[in-house]
Amino acid sequence: MVKRKSSTFAQGAEATPGLIHMPSFDHLLPHPAKRRASQRKQTQPSSKPSSTNPDINSEVLDGPEALRASPDAEEKDETLDVDKIAGGTATHIKDEEDTVPSLVTGGESESSLSDMSDVEPPSSKKPVATKSTKVSKVLSDTGKIQKAPSIGQAKKVESQEPQFLDPEADGEEEADEEEIQAALSRPPPVHSDYLPLPWKGRLGYACLCTYLRFSNPPVFSSRTCRIASILENRHPLKNPDEPPHATKNRPDRDQPADIARGQAFVESLGVANAKDIVKMLRWNDRYGIKFLRLSSEMFPFASHEEYGYKLAPFASEALAEAGKVAGELGHRLTTHPGQFTQLGSPRKSVIDNALRDLEYHSELLSLLKLPPQQDRDAVMILHLGGVFGDKEATLERFRENYKRLSPEIKKRLVLENDDVSWSVHELLPLCEELNIPMVLDFHHNNIIFDAEHIREGTKDIMDLYPRILATWKRKNITPKMHYSEPTPAAITGRQRRKHNPRVATLPPCPPDMDLMIEAKDKEQAVFELMRVFKLPGFDTFNDMLPHVRKDDNKPVKLPKKKTPKKKKAKKEDDDALEAEEALDVEEEEFVQAVIPEEDVGMGGPEGRVYWPPGMEDWLRPVKKVVKKRDPAERGKPLTPAQKRKAAADAVESAVKLEADVHEDGEVDAAAAATPTPAKKAKVTPKSNAKKAATPKKNARSVQTPSTSDDEASGDAPPSEAESVPAAKKPRAAPARQSARAKKISYVEEDGE
């Protein structure tokens, strides 16, 4: 009998235990043998709660950094980079990420609402063993292991549906020449000159306050994690008596896993996010901002098919406290489910995911326990989604799925025109038919609009204001609109979808409605409008000091005071001397006055919370740049004494060089023509050094015998040595004598 091979998946899991943990396959593995209760108690110690600060805990991520398909994201790598994973062409493919959410990206798609497509069976040809092929196996609806679509298949699927991009991501979208030519040929936009002043409504921003995000401790409501972190935290810590650490004290996977322990980990992130809403609301209220969009990532994976959970009762108290503060301050709170929450998709899996996600957002808003009017204003903004080849069929599917929604969801659901497929003229009849309020997005309307009815710009769309506002008044909900602007360098429609960090003006909207500013700079974009148009609250904030935060309780180290050296104290004064020395040591680390907890991160009494455009780095401390030394100059650093000596030597060299330049030309010529006899000079004592150096000044002024004297005496011309008068004593070379002077001797030889 031929022996059957063991499972290739099991072999791969054993061969590469640290490569990638595949949580989706846990239920396929055989269950471990049951243990008695006494053994479980010994092997499952309780672990201490870990920190929810992503700056400290590596398992906790900030929503924008988690590569999640979400309108809250701010990173350019929202979609999967095939070039980085498979080594192929640099192409962002949405569907490949959607197919493997828990393997490639750690399962961080917005509540697993990825628009999953039917996967073709693998071909018989053996693929190349790349990193992507090792981790791209997923489970289909039938439970069989299948491979993720190849790059070509993903491109084919991508061409059938619009690709959703992050409008607040960094980087520029590439465009070919045809797109640029088509964009340049479009008529110029026609804008209205109306400004909604004086402003009586509420301005708001989405999800994240940049100033509070970089406070100490950070305040934000988008802490998230990966599914792998949830599974890992099901295991107890290696040392349960110590706090968790990224490297020194991690969960011990050799110990049995407990689902409740992993669930407690992810719930702690949600509670921390909910508690920070209170701080954000009070911060906004101080500076005149009364409108905030809550992050959809507040409770990670709450609507996941396998790892999802209800928010009550563990988050009820924290959300109720946030709702109480919002009610007292009169703030409006809304949500915006992810772009993959689509009720018009032809695939059942997408519809099921969308229904779970809407239930999650509805529960979140209901647990806030807001006052009646604010509760009605707490809406959920939704896009209609893709076209799927037939707009009429998509609209009909939306109608059928809308009937399945609960009354709680229906009273909160509103639709928004997008910048990919659906214009205002296509959505407005549907909203009027189903009694759904419609959100007008001015920026999207300038990209996707019905050219037969209106022109690009803000002027023609104002004719539809009565119909749009009527959809809100039917349900007694305060109307809201969205406003953003494209980047200055954008030309094509795809490029214009990207939001500018700040906006330059107000749209021609009614002055008593709520306006959401969708910009990357978040609250700073609202501040910019306040300053330009002197809106209420413009005088409550000031420019922040670069890299300085005076509203945090951080120790400030001051330079140690230099005290004069004291003389040796007497024995009876030893105790007093030790006390003074201890006092000097304590003064090395000075802690400023303790700021109350409610004032931490609030900008201080001067309200220094505004940073100019492009100066986001002001929020962080100055980075210490270590300048690398030249390899040729590496070595032991110079001491202060060595530095002083080097400086003195440089000055002395400069003096010598200057003396050489002013040297007499005749002496230089004589020195060059006559070699100096190599004779040792007598050493002069130090006391006579000055006297010995005196002849140097008169050496050049000594007269030599003239030619007439030589003829009178009848002798031969004297030698050069005889022509120089003898010095009284051999002189020592002075300290600053030039090199040429040392080579010339003015001393006559004995006996001449």
Side-chain angles (χ1 to χ4, degrees):
M1 182 177 179
V2 180
K3 187 176 180 181
R4 187 174 61 182
K5 294 183 179 180
S6 59
S7 172
T8 57
F9 165 72
Q11 291 177 355
E14 294 176 3
T16 57
L19 177 61
I20 283 184
H21 303 282
M22 305 187 195
S24 301
F25 303 149
D26 287 350
H27 62 282
L28 294 180
L29 302 177
H31 296 284
K34 295 184 177 180
R35 302 190 182 189
R36 287 179 291 181
S38 60
Q39 294 177 342
R40 287 197 298 269
K41 290 180 180 179
Q42 295 176 0
T43 58
Q44 294 184 7
S46 60
S47 59
K48 295 184 179 181
S50 58
S51 172
T52 58
N53 185 352
D55 300 334
I56 300 175
N57 190 348
S58 60
E59 294 180 354
V60 180
L61 304 175
D62 192 352
E65 300 173 357
L67 310 184
R68 300 178 63 165
S70 166
D72 308 334
E74 295 181 0
E75 298 297 327
K76 62 182 178 181
D77 296 325
E78 180 181 337
T79 51
L80 192 65
D81 194 342
V82 180
D83 182 62
K84 292 181 180 179
I85 295 181
T89 307
T91 308
H92 292 287
I93 299 178
K94 172 178 70 68
D95 294 272
E96 183 166 349
E97 178 191 7
D98 301 338
T99 313
V100 286
S102 60
L103 303 184
V104 178
T105 62
E108 63 265 90
S109 60
E110 178 83 356
S111 305
S112 77
L113 299 179
S114 51
D115 211 358
M116 298 178 63
S117 58
D118 298 331
V119 182
E120 298 181 5
S123 60
S124 58
K125 186 177 179 180
K126 187 175 181 180
V128 181
T130 60
K131 184 177 180 180
S132 60
T133 58
K134 294 180 182 179
V135 300
S136 59
K137 292 186 177 181
V138 293
L139 288 176
S140 65
D141 296 336
T142 58
K144 296 180 181 180
I145 300 178
Q146 294 183 346
K147 292 176 64 178
S150 63
I151 297 177
Q153 294 171 347
K155 287 182 179 179
K156 182 179 180 181
V157 176
E158 182 188 16
S159 62
Q160 298 176 359
E161 298 179 12
Q163 182 180 6
F164 295 94
L165 300 176
D166 180 14
E168 297 178 8
D170 295 329
E172 296 293 339
E173 291 291 335
E174 297 181 358
D176 54 26
E177 187 176 354
E178 294 181 0
E179 288 181 316
I180 295 177
Q181 293 298 329
L184 293 176
S185 63
R186 79 178 196 274
V190 181
H191 295 295
S192 171
D193 58 355
Y194 170 76
L195 287 175
L197 299 176
W199 178 255
K200 301 176 182 178
R202 292 176 288 195
L203 291 177
Y205 62 93
C207 308
L208 176 72
C209 176
T210 62
Y211 186 86
L212 288 177
R213 176 60 184 87
F214 293 100
S215 63
N216 185 31
V219 178
F220 63 108
S221 60
S222 57
R223 297 173 183 84
T224 185
C225 63
R226 306 184 190 277
I227 289 181
S229 299
I230 301 176
L231 298 177
E232 186 178 17
N233 279 273
R234 291 180 177 180
H235 301 274
L237 295 175
K238 293 183 178 180
N239 188 354
D241 297 331
E242 297 292 334
H245 192 272
T247 56
K248 299 179 181 179
N249 194 19
R250 296 186 61 84
D252 188 0
R253 298 187 181 183
D254 296 334
Q255 299 291 336
D258 185 5
I259 296 178
R261 186 183 287 110
Q263 184 64 26
F265 166 74
V266 70
E267 288 178 358
S268 66
L269 300 181
V271 172
N273 290 332
K275 289 182 177 180
D276 278 357
I277 298 177
V278 176
K279 188 78 171 183
M280 296 173 66
L281 291 174
R282 296 194 183 280
W283 193 93
N284 290 345
D285 189 72
R286 175 177 177 180
Y287 299 107
I289 302 176
K290 295 181 177 292
F291 187 12
L292 176 66
R293 177 188 297 170
L294 299 179
S295 174
S296 297
E297 299 162 340
M298 188 181 302
F299 295 92
F301 306 105
S303 62
H304 195 276
E305 181 179 7
E306 181 178 356
Y307 303 101
Y309 49 89
K310 293 292 183 180
L311 307 185
F314 78 92
S316 300
E317 183 179 355
L319 289 175
E321 179 64 22
K324 179 182 177 181
V325 175
E328 294 173 353
L329 302 177
H331 289 210
R332 183 175 189 174
L333 300 177
T334 62
T335 59
H336 196 325
Q339 58 216 13
F340 298 114
T341 306
Q342 302 181 23
L343 293 178
S345 175
R347 289 190 288 275
K348 181 180 181 299
S349 60
V350 176
I351 300 301
D352 294 341
N353 292 338
L355 294 177
R356 286 196 310 272
D357 198 51
L358 293 176
E359 289 287 350
Y360 152 65
H361 284 84
S362 176
E363 183 185 11
L364 189 156
L365 294 174
S366 299
L367 290 177
L368 292 173
K369 306 296 182 184
L370 294 167
Q373 183 58 47
Q374 290 174 272
D375 186 58
R376 286 192 294 270
D377 293 344
V379 296
M380 301 183 299
I381 300 96
L382 189 67
H383 291 289
L384 190 57
V387 176
F388 307 102
D390 189 347
K391 284 192 173 183
E392 290 299 328
T394 301
L395 291 174
E396 186 60 31
R397 285 191 298 268
F398 181 88
R399 294 185 182 96
E400 294 298 325
N401 293 322
Y402 181 78
K403 298 177 183 178
R404 300 171 54 185
L405 302 179
S406 64
E408 185 68 21
I409 296 178
K410 286 183 178 180
K411 79 173 187 178
R412 299 188 185 278
L413 188 66
V414 299
L415 289 179
E416 176 191 358
N417 61 307
D418 58 61
D419 55 0
V420 179
S421 305
W422 299 96
S423 66
V424 174
H425 284 84
E426 293 168 325
L427 280 187
L428 188 55
L430 179 67
C431 293
E432 294 172 336
E433 175 190 348
L434 301 178
N435 193 21
I436 302 175
M438 203 205 87
V439 178
L440 171 62
D441 190 303
F442 290 92
H443 178 62
H444 294 170
N445 180 69
N446 287 335
I447 300 175
I448 300 296
F449 60 93
D450 191 345
E452 296 180 358
H453 295 86
I454 62 174
R455 296 168 294 180
E456 179 186 344
T458 59
K459 185 175 182 179
D460 292 355
I461 194 62
M462 296 177 67
D463 297 337
L464 295 179
Y465 279 5
R467 293 177 59 186
I468 294 174
L469 296 177
T471 61
W472 295 88
K473 294 179 180 179
R474 292 194 193 102
K475 290 189 173 182
N476 195 20
I477 303 176
T478 305
K480 69 185 292 284
M481 293 183 179
H482 295 174
Y483 185 70
S484 56
E485 295 175 355
T487 57
I491 299 177
T492 66
R494 185 181 181 87
Q495 292 174 340
R496 289 189 294 135
R497 289 162 60 186
K498 181 182 176 182
H499 293 171
N500 205 33
R502 304 192 187 186
V503 295
T505 186
L506 287 169
C509 61
D512 57 349
M513 70 180 310
D514 295 338
L515 184 64
M516 173 63 63
I517 305 299
E518 295 182 323
K520 182 181 177 181
D521 287 353
K522 305 299 182 180
E523 83 286 351
Q524 301 296 323
V526 179
F527 287 161
E528 202 73 32
L529 287 176
M530 288 182 175
R531 282 195 166 182
V532 172
F533 297 102
K534 299 296 184 289
L535 303 182
F538 78 96
D539 55 348
T540 59
F541 57 89
N542 292 293
D543 292 10
M544 65 179 299
L545 301 176
H547 315 290
V548 176
R549 303 287 288 262
K550 294 185 177 181
D551 54 358
D552 291 340
N553 287 322
K554 294 188 296 185
V556 180
K557 290 188 177 181
L558 300 178
K560 186 178 178 181
K561 296 181 179 179
K562 295 183 178 181
T563 55
K565 294 183 179 180
K566 300 179 180 179
K567 297 181 180 180
K568 189 174 181 181
K570 299 179 181 179
K571 294 182 179 180
E572 55 268 23
D573 298 336
D574 288 346
D575 296 337
L577 183 61
E578 292 178 0
E580 291 180 2
E581 292 177 354
L583 185 61
D584 292 341
V585 173
E586 292 177 358
E587 289 180 354
E588 290 184 10
E589 185 172 348
F590 169 76
V591 180
Q592 60 184 356
V594 177
I595 301 174
E597 182 63 27
E598 60 272 13
D599 294 336
V600 173
M602 299 298 289
E606 298 176 341
R608 293 186 174 273
V609 295
Y610 172 85
W611 46 273
M615 297 292 108
E616 188 176 359
D617 60 315
W618 284 14
L619 295 168
R620 306 173 181 87
V622 180
K623 292 184 178 180
K624 295 182 179 179
V625 180
V626 180
K627 187 178 180 181
K628 295 184 178 180
R629 299 182 62 181
D630 189 357
E633 299 179 357
R634 287 180 181 176
K636 189 176 180 180
L638 298 177
T639 62
Q642 291 174 334
K643 293 180 180 179
R644 289 193 297 269
K645 186 173 184 269
D649 293 342
V651 173
E652 185 175 352
S653 301
V655 172
K656 288 182 179 180
L657 182 61
E658 185 178 0
D660 294 343
V661 171
H662 294 85
E663 190 82 19
D664 189 31
E666 295 180 1
V667 178
D668 292 342
T674 308
T676 306
K679 278 208 143 191
K680 291 185 180 180
K682 296 182 180 180
V683 180
T684 309
K686 292 183 180 180
S687 57
N688 300 330
K690 294 183 180 179
K691 297 180 180 179
T694 352
K696 177 185 176 183
K697 300 179 181 179
N698 303 327
R700 299 174 185 172
S701 60
V702 176
Q703 296 182 357
T704 55
S706 62
T707 53
S708 58
D709 296 338
D710 294 338
E711 293 174 357
S713 60
D715 297 334
S719 63
E720 291 188 18
E722 296 174 347
S723 63
V724 180
K728 295 181 179 180
K729 292 183 180 179
R731 62 180 181 85
R736 295 192 177 182
Q737 192 172 2
S738 64
R740 296 187 184 91
K742 293 180 182 178
K743 296 179 181 179
I744 301 173
S745 176
Y746 298 97
V747 182
E748 294 183 355
E749 295 181 2
D750 296 338
E752 290 184 359

